[in-house]
Amino acid sequence: QVQLMESGGGLVHTGGSLRLSCAASGSPFRLHHMGWYRQVPGRLREKVAVITPAGSPDYGDFVKGRFTISIDSSKNAVSLEMNNLELQDTAVYYCTARITVSRAGSDTMYNQWGQGTQVTVSS
């Protein structure tokens, strides 16, 4: 199996910064992209930022230049630098990796998810 190990969540005041990190490990896989989604109770999970192994990022519309995602392809790890955090950024943040694994001669592509890390922004 492939596991995603998340770190960096916590409590911060408005205007502050947090850095989320995630690393994928386990069974061999091919990585298509990796990044972060977030979810608030009662709302759909939404994309924060994802990035390809080559370093091409894709940000959610709400980011507006505040967040920066980076990847270390050699380690299958990503970091999300979140600056100027707002109350609306409070959510559970989930690391995700879109991967392909080979089992019994068949390739399967799917999204692997971390367990989630809480980000709370307070006034």
Side-chain angles (χ1 to χ4, degrees):
Q1 293 191 1
V2 176
Q3 299 86 35
L4 302 182
M5 298 165 287
E6 304 163 323
S7 62
L11 176 65
V12 67
H13 287 95
T14 55
S17 299
L18 284 173
R19 184 180 181 91
L20 303 182
S21 298
C22 179
S25 63
S27 301
F29 62 91
R30 294 190 296 276
L31 180 66
H32 303 284
H33 63 244
M34 191 171 181
W36 294 88
Y37 283 64
R38 71 185 188 185
Q39 189 167 28
V40 177
R43 299 181 62 182
L44 296 174
R45 189 171 297 186
E46 64 180 350
K47 180 174 66 179
V48 179
V50 297
I51 190 168
T52 69
S56 180
D58 186 21
Y59 295 99
D61 291 340
F62 65 88
V63 170
K64 298 180 180 179
R66 298 180 298 128
F67 300 172
T68 301
I69 191 167
S70 60
I71 189 167
D72 183 346
S73 296
S74 67
K75 299 179 179 180
N76 291 318
V78 294
S79 294
L80 180 69
E81 182 71 29
M82 302 188 294
N83 299 312
N84 195 25
L85 286 162
E86 304 169 352
L87 295 176
Q88 296 83 355
D89 295 319
T90 295
V92 177
Y93 285 69
Y94 295 90
C95 181
T96 188
R98 187 157 183 81
I99 61 175
T100 295
V101 299
S102 296
R103 298 179 182 179
S106 297
D107 290 347
T108 301
M109 182 185 295
Y110 66 97
N111 289 337
Q112 180 68 39
W113 295 92
Q115 66 182 34
T117 184
Q118 178 71 45
V119 171
T120 301
V121 184
S122 65
S123 61

